[in-house]
Amino acid sequence: LAEQAGPRPLAGRTALVTSGPTHEPIDPVRYIANRSSGRQGHAIAAALAARGARVTLVTGPTQQPDPPGCAVVQIESAREMLAACEASLPVDVAVFNAAVADWRVAGEADQKMKKDGGGPPTLSLVENPDILATVARAGALRPALVIGFAAETRDVVAYAQAKRARKGCDWIVANDVSPATGTFGGAENTVHLIMGDKVEDWPRMGKDGVAARLADRIAEALAPSAG
Ligand code: CTP
Ligand code: CA
């Protein structure tokens, strides 16, 4: 029989969590961003810390208070987020919830861009590094458990399974953001936890509920198996 989990089942474990948006600079005063609030990622960091893990939270700019008991690393761009994540390794588990900008501006200007009468500038974009995929393929530094997120509007589980394989992560939390679920702008999420071939369909719940349940699953997965 497995031992009853104590109140701090992740004591002695280390975790990395990413959260929030990234800001990609155009020039010293302008950037490209997205609407991620950081609520879900910060809640996951807090839930892991509450279960005893030593948590590094790498976050883009958000309005969220620092979660209690976490080491918080504030970054802006995707490249800074990648560097901060690599610096946090090794860890036992890594959860990638950040809404990383897929593209950044090529050749950001080092002075503020001015209207010079020549019409609007053209911004060309280049792809950012995939932080989850990089850490999932970090060889000896790869965390034992690597977890990604995917927001999809249709064929949610199938698309998320494909994403999991492409990125090389162990689990993926697939969030159904189809209009019918009312997730956009709402306080609740409808998620499926995909653990290899095993899929759990979770009831609709708040972001703190998703964080608590995910932290419980992580604690179970990292628990030493009963000898
Ligand atoms: N992710 C990441 N680094 C990136 C892009 C995404 O770490 N540059 C992570 C996210 O934090 C998330 C997962 O990868 O855990 C899936 O992100 P998503 O944007 O859904 O995947 P993409 O591969 O960017 O595909 P899409 O074209 O659907 O945006
Ligand atoms: Ca993306």
Side-chain angles (χ1 to χ4, degrees):
L1 274 180
E3 231 173 52
Q4 182 77 32
R8 290 168 68 82
L10 288 170
R13 300 295 190 174
T14 51
L16 162 67
V17 179
T18 71
S19 186
T22 62
H23 286 186
E24 306 298 330
I26 297 170
D27 70 14
V29 299
R30 303 183 177 97
Y31 57 83
I32 296 174
N34 63 67
R35 295 187 191 281
S36 170
S37 69
R39 273 184 56 192
Q40 184 67 79
H42 279 57
I44 292 165
L48 293 171
R51 286 159 181 74
R54 205 160 80 232
V55 179
T56 301
L57 172 64
V58 178
T59 180
T62 75
Q63 303 295 321
Q64 305 298 319
D66 285 357
C70 299
V72 179
V73 182
Q74 310 269 0
I75 55 78
E76 293 195 350
S77 69
R79 284 174 298 172
E80 291 166 359
M81 181 172 275
L82 175 61
C85 288
E86 288 179 321
S88 79
L89 302 179
V91 294
D92 296 307
V93 56
V95 184
F96 295 90
N97 182 70
V100 182
D102 290 324
W103 303 286
R104 68 176 180 272
V105 175
E108 73 171 282
D110 55 8
Q111 303 292 330
K112 182 186 170 190
M113 293 164 72
K114 303 288 287 178
K115 290 175 297 198
D116 59 4
T122 302
L123 298 180
S124 44
L125 303 178
V126 291
E127 196 163 329
N128 267 327
D130 191 313
I131 299 164
L132 162 56
T134 303
V135 172
R137 301 199 164 94
L141 283 174
R142 185 192 194 277
L145 186 56
V146 177
I147 305 172
F149 272 73
E152 308 287 351
T153 57
R154 64 189 178 96
D155 300 318
V156 174
V157 171
Y159 275 127
Q161 277 286 19
K163 205 166 260 181
R164 186 181 75 81
R166 197 163 66 239
K167 290 173 179 265
C169 56
D170 301 300
W171 296 356
I172 203 153
V173 182
N175 196 1
D176 185 343
V177 295
S178 56
T181 65
T183 295
F184 271 140
E188 297 191 312
N189 276 342
T190 306
V191 312
H192 311 267
L193 176 61
I194 299 173
M195 301 169 288
D197 291 335
K198 198 174 150 221
V199 179
E200 279 186 9
D201 303 313
W202 291 3
R204 194 165 167 66
M205 62 178 88
K207 291 183 176 178
D208 288 337
V210 169
R213 198 151 166 162
L214 182 63
D216 287 341
R217 290 292 175 278
I218 291 169
E220 288 161 18
L222 293 182
S225 50

